[in-house]
Amino acid sequence: TFDPGSYSTLKLDLDEGILTLTVDRPEALNALSQQVVSELWKAFTAIQDSCTHDAGWPVRGVIVTGGGGKAFVAGADIREMASMGPDSAAEYARSMQGVTLLIEKLPVPVIAAVDGFALGGGCELALACDFIYASEAAQFGQPEVNLGLVPGFGGSVRLPQRVGLGPARELIYTARRIDAAEALRLGLANRVLPSRDELLAAARETLQEIAGKAPAAVGLAKQSIAGATGRPTNQGLEAEAEAFREAFTTDDMREGTAAFLEKRKAAFTGK
Ligand code: CAA
């Protein structure tokens, strides 16, 4: 059994191995207050701890979404930031950056299901997920310069990685909002679905498809990509060779290759 703990700003719902994590502060369009950030840290740490063979891999994929119907996450909490000094602001940025790193290190895939506003820290939270599915009502943007701010939860790093330097600079300097079709065109979103229900169903379906694979291999693939991103080619290749080596230590690799040669379906155990 998986006990993620209890939360006041998040909802966690585990259904057949797929955990839906909803940031649920609709009165502030799910803005990432310091409390939300600390609860995200707690939730992703609990998920991380459960991603082992001994724990039975109770969580095989995570959907991150927003509650209330209007927003994914409308950013960092502007009300809280208005009275912060530089040092507490830096601490705030580092604590949410820590959450984004936890998400990237999680050995299971995480899909951001964006319905409504994903602005500032909301766009940055989505960018920390493995990929983004959007509803037609999604709106993305990095509006920090409208507030005299700059992205603080990873946008300066991950937005250029995702869409390229030119489009990232334009989005960040102009604070323009883009719709789902434009996000798809830029490669920010992988898919656009007509409604929230279809969005969540599509994310679930993809995670279930991935859950049919060897979990350690999926985790190593994720680790390998993260280990290569932003690094020189030789270091990226070194991270890949290390992950490749690690795969050969698993039972599932023996099973997967044997099943292929014996022309049968692999029965993965997660070991
Ligand atoms: N922080 C705190 N409260 C927020 C918020 C935020 N980021 N976004 C919205 N809210 C609150 C509003 O203040 C409002 O509260 P009240 O009802 O108490 O007045 C409530 O949520 C509903 O919002 P609106 O009435 O503004 O809703 P709208 O539909 O008219 O507008 C919106 C929606 C365009 C998303 C607008 O709310 C908005 O522009 N929000 C701010 C978006 C933004 O600038 N985000 C970036 C924050 S900076 C950042 O994230 C820095 C970083 O990288 C770390």
Side-chain angles (χ1 to χ4, degrees):
T1 57
F2 170 63
D3 177 13
S6 59
Y7 301 89
S8 60
T9 64
L10 307 179
K11 273 193 207 149
L12 274 73
D13 174 34
L14 181 62
D15 180 17
E16 293 183 3
I18 311 300
L19 183 79
T20 303
L21 184 156
T22 306
V23 180
D24 196 34
R25 246 194 111 203
E27 70 284 1
L29 301 187
N30 308 321
L32 301 172
S33 62
Q34 292 162 90
Q35 182 171 7
V36 176
V37 173
S38 73
E39 292 196 351
L40 284 170
W41 175 269
K42 181 175 153 189
F44 280 108
T45 303
I47 301 166
Q48 170 85 50
D49 292 346
S50 80
C51 289
T52 65
H53 175 258
D54 290 342
W57 291 90
V59 178
R60 297 294 300 277
V62 181
I63 299 171
V64 176
T65 194
K70 195 165 159 186
F72 173 73
V73 165
D77 191 297
I78 300 170
R79 195 171 296 280
E80 286 185 359
M81 287 189 297
S83 58
M84 280 180 193
D87 292 343
S88 47
E91 197 180 311
Y92 180 42
R94 289 202 180 93
S95 63
M96 186 58 201
Q97 288 173 354
V99 171
T100 66
L101 289 170
L102 258 184
I103 295 173
E104 269 181 1
K105 285 195 185 130
L106 212 63
V108 297
V110 183
I111 300 182
V114 174
D115 181 35
F117 298 108
L119 301 176
C123 190
E124 294 169 303
L125 170 62
L127 281 164
C129 300
D130 287 282
F131 42 85
I132 298 171
Y133 283 3
S135 76
E136 277 173 9
Q139 295 260 328
F140 297 86
Q142 296 289 158
E144 286 85 354
V145 296
N146 283 337
L147 299 155
L149 291 169
V150 295
F153 298 165
S156 340
V157 180
R158 296 192 182 96
L159 190 61
Q161 281 172 353
R162 189 68 64 93
V163 304
L165 268 174
R169 286 191 175 118
E170 193 168 338
L171 282 169
I172 292 171
Y173 301 169
T174 63
R176 259 180 223 145
R177 286 207 309 244
I178 58 170
D179 64 13
E182 179 71 357
L184 184 67
R185 200 184 64 73
L186 286 173
L188 177 56
N190 281 20
R191 284 182 68 181
V192 179
L193 287 305
S195 67
R196 179 178 179 83
D197 286 351
E198 285 160 284
L199 168 68
L200 293 172
R204 168 170 290 276
E205 202 177 300
T206 296
L207 291 173
Q208 272 164 345
E209 180 185 346
I210 299 169
K213 317 299 175 193
V218 172
L220 286 168
K222 178 166 173 171
Q223 183 186 310
S224 182
I225 294 170
T229 306
R231 296 253 176 84
T233 304
N234 62 336
Q235 288 178 22
L237 293 176
E238 192 42 53
E240 185 183 75
E242 188 49 44
F244 194 71
R245 192 197 72 79
E246 189 68 25
F248 281 71
T249 68
T250 65
D251 290 356
D252 281 349
M253 175 270 164
R254 301 293 154 203
E255 167 61 12
T257 49
F260 175 82
L261 295 172
E262 291 160 18
K263 302 188 189 303
R264 60 175 174 82
K265 192 174 174 343
F268 294 123
T269 61
K271 239 178 164 171

